[in-house]
Amino acid sequence: MNVKATIDRIDVRRFRFWFQLFAFAFLVYGGWLAVDLGNSLPTFACGYNRKGTAGVCYLLPLQHQLAQPWSQLFSKEGLAVLGGFALFLLWFLVLNKAWCGFICPLGTLQDWITGLRKRFGLRYSSYSDEQFAKLTWIKYGLLLVVIFVPLLIGGHFLTHDWGTAYCQLCPARMIIPLFNGDFSQWKIDFSSTGRMVLTALGMFIAGLFLAGSFLKKRFFCFFCPMSAFHYIFAKLSLFKLKKEGSKCTVCGDCYRVCDLQIKPIADDVISQDILKDDCILCMKCVAACPEQGALRVDILGKTVFESTKDGFAKRMGMEDKQ
Amino acid sequence: MLKPIAKILLCAALPLTAEAALWFSDQPPDKRLMKDMKRSHGGHVFMENEVYVKQLWLRKGESLMESAYAEPARTDFKLVDTKQVLSVPDTLESGGHSAIRFKMPDEGYYNAYYSERSVENGVLKVDAAKAEILKHNCRLGHNYDRALVNPNRWRDAPLDIVRLRLPDEDFHTRIRSGNLLKFLVLHQGRPAAGAKVRLETQKGWINVTRTDAEGVASFQVIQDNFPVEEDEAERFVAKPAEKEAAGAEKPADKRAGKKDGLQTEDGEPSKWQANKEAGEHAEHKGDHSEHKEAASRWGGDRREDHFLVRVDYQTDEAGSYQGQAYDKIHYSAAMTGSYAPNVQVSQSKSLGLIYASAGFLTVGVGATAYRRRRIKPFKEVDFDER
């Protein structure tokens, strides 16, 4: 059996579990080993996890940079913003949204909470099509917060109390530092009106996150502005999720395993580039597809993992019965 | 009647009368220069080809708020960079006063020194100013050598004040109210025991102590920097009529303001000086409006006040300076620093947990109720088989 066939038969769930565990430990504790991947990571390596983090989520420095006075931002100094963005793009283009499915510490944490729910034998929740259609826009709203609130600060329309507004709302700020024993972010800051509003909302969202992740798979990813930001540049990535519509029988297996309830993965038999804005590129759909070559993952145009009958049979434990 | 007498008695009892201290300030005498400056971790800087350039002016006075911009009597400036290399910074005329200017290409602390000497009543007075300036740019990352956080110093300084670092201090650490600040006083490189150390905050809180056998003096930073709500600040703003009345009473003082250099290039007294002249009400306005301005720009917990620390130390060395004999040397040195409010004062963990619990329950109870509502109760269907 060649390497390609071995990869196609891989147990994606197990591979992903160990990969996520490693990535989580690396990003959350790597700082203790002096690992520093910089400030432009396209994932929630939270900068508030001060000592432990091995790099910083790009949304934090982006908000800092955009909050410069406009006279600086729209001058030669503003080029530094482009420098940080270029680095973010480089990181992102390599792995596309697999940053979410394999590396994001907050995503991994949600998968672990889902595992806990399964142990309790509780069924998961899902959104109706109408709810899905409405809620999917929230992440774009939060992306606007990431970009426009700092710009309004730079233009002196808002005070610096509203600085890093999204980070104040993000549950990663409260939850990731906990893994290094740091509870300092669990607070409401009354030093100003802006801080009070943001930190109160942040604490409320942290509570939503914990309960929501328990009931709904990848609860927060659906609202994640990083996911929306990724999707803007997803077409440029070297890493692609492709679908061969002619080979699809629309059996719906891919949709049923999808943590983000992305319906077009099953229904759309026309698009080739099937990556959607909510996708986290976890590859569960490829692993669950029983049709030879209907779904595949390409890197630089070369297929590295695709759905095969053989792989499907192995993963479903049907090989032994045959 | 008793009030003025009590004031006189209180003043007589205070052993805190300060002589004029010489210190460095990065606030330009002409505020228009601020337009060309950028705020950085080490205060205001100019940018020159992406390199931070610091400019410092000498000021002299009894306290932070009572000091005027001063002209140096000599050009005895020294600069110790992050690699402990000693050099002489450039001097220039800026904002109508002499200043020193130096580049800060490397991350870490730069130290500027200045000293001047004179003989008065048989005592050689050595007055020194020191500034410790941090260069840190977050864009360069945070994987820096932790040793760079440690203080640098000029080993031949006649009298040096070294701020000892807080536990776990890094480039982002702020001195906050409640912190125990420690200063090591060195006389010609050796710890100076028994030196008088005086710390005064921008608000006028003063504490005086003496260094111990190791040359260390400690102060717990006071909490005198409270958030000022907009309506509260408004109450302290002097009304135009009050201002006019107060200003009309002291035209001569206004001219005196010009003399000590507390003025802008327009010939108008500086904002602080104008407030001071306008009497007690306006003094409140000065404090609170500055607070309000700072708070609005930088947020509650980032609001900073300054302190001035001054050291006096005397030795029985005899000699002569420029033909004048002396039998004692009185050293003094001063430097400034900044401190922010204690964040714990304006934070609530318990309320935070209540809000988080509310979020948790909203989803938990909401989802449970939604699921229950969707369970359709069993309904027996009867068929009439007749």
Side-chain angles (χ1 to χ4, degrees), chain B residues 28 33-38 44-48 50-55 57 94 101:
Chain B
L33 285 172
M34 297 286 275
K35 278 194 297 185
D36 304 323
M37 295 167 108
K38 174 189 160 82
H44 290 92
V45 290
F46 292 95
M47 295 295 286
E48 237 179 59
E50 292 292 306
V51 176
Y52 286 9
V53 177
K54 190 78 182 178
Q55 216 163 283
W57 289 264
S94 176
R101 184 179 170 94

Side-chain angles (χ1 to χ4, degrees), chain A residues 72 77, chain B residues 25-57 90 92-105 133-137 139:
Chain A
Q72 283 173 26
E77 280 182 58
Chain B
S25 168
D26 69 351
Q27 299 292 310
D30 182 355
K31 299 299 172 207
R32 285 176 298 185
L33 285 172
M34 297 286 275
K35 278 194 297 185
D36 304 323
M37 295 167 108
K38 174 189 160 82
R39 194 182 154 97
S40 76
H41 280 279
H44 290 92
V45 290
F46 292 95
M47 295 295 286
E48 237 179 59
N49 300 323
E50 292 292 306
V51 176
Y52 286 9
V53 177
K54 190 78 182 178
Q55 216 163 283
L56 298 171
W57 289 264
D90 295 336
L92 74 160
E93 185 85 1
S94 176
H97 290 274
S98 298
I100 59 167
R101 184 179 170 94
F102 51 91
K103 289 186 176 178
M104 300 195 294
I133 305 114
L134 168 67
K135 154 71 192 297
H136 170 59
N137 184 347
R139 267 193 247 148

Side-chain angles (χ1 to χ4, degrees), chain B residues 300-338:
Chain B
D301 68 329
R302 301 175 76 184
R303 191 182 54 247
E304 280 187 339
D305 267 3
H306 290 85
F307 63 79
L308 178 71
V309 59
R310 179 197 159 109
V311 179
D312 288 282
Y313 186 66
Q314 196 157 301
T315 61
D316 290 331
E317 294 165 75
S320 72
Y321 177 72
Q322 291 183 338
Q324 290 180 281
Y326 60 84
D327 53 10
K328 280 186 173 66
I329 306 180
H330 183 98
Y331 296 93
S332 78
M335 68 182 278
T336 58
S338 59

